[in-house]
């Protein structure tokens, strides 16, 4: 609330945070499925902290754009 009041609702970062808070269940579900599969595919235990952070950022971006797609959002309408 404090950040929203300080920067305003029209700030692009605030808009993304509001979008994420409205779709938190879909984001959480998709993100952890992707993390689970990426652990198997990329063997995250072998990477250092920086490499794991880059993979995590990449997964966050994929999750964000997946949730923005209407067919994916429709899967979580019941929640």
């Amino acid at each position: 609330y404090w950040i929203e009041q300080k920067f305003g609702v029209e700030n692009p970062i605030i808009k993304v945070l509001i979008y994420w808070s409205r779709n938190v269940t879909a984001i959480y579900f998709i993100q952890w499925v992707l993390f689970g599969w990426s652990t198997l595919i990329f063997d995250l235990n072998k990477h250092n902290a920086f490499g794991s952070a880059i993979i995590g950022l990449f997964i966050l971006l994929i999750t964000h754009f997946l949730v923005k797609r209407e067919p994916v959002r429709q899967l979580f309408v019941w929640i």
Side-chain angles (χ1 to χ4, degrees):
Y1 176 78
W2 176 82
I3 294 172
E4 181 183 333
Q5 294 301 314
K6 183 161 179 69
F7 295 106
V9 178
E10 296 304 316
N11 186 312
I13 295 172
I14 299 299
K15 284 184 178 183
V16 169
L17 291 175
I18 291 170
Y19 180 79
W20 285 352
S21 69
R22 288 186 183 144
N23 296 290
V24 69
T25 304
I27 289 170
Y28 181 81
F29 182 81
I30 292 170
Q31 187 175 23
W32 283 106
V33 167
L34 291 175
F35 270 124
W37 281 101
S38 67
T39 301
L40 294 173
I41 294 170
F42 299 118
D43 197 13
L44 292 180
N45 295 330
K46 290 187 345 187
H47 297 286
N48 60 15
F50 181 75
S52 295
I54 296 298
I55 292 171
L57 180 63
F58 186 66
I59 289 173
L60 177 65
L61 290 173
I62 291 171
T63 303
H64 175 77
F65 291 113
L66 277 174
V67 171
K68 287 187 77 82
R69 298 188 64 207
E70 185 64 30
V72 174
R73 265 198 324 267
Q74 289 300 316
L75 293 172
F76 296 94
V77 168
W78 58 276
I79 297 175

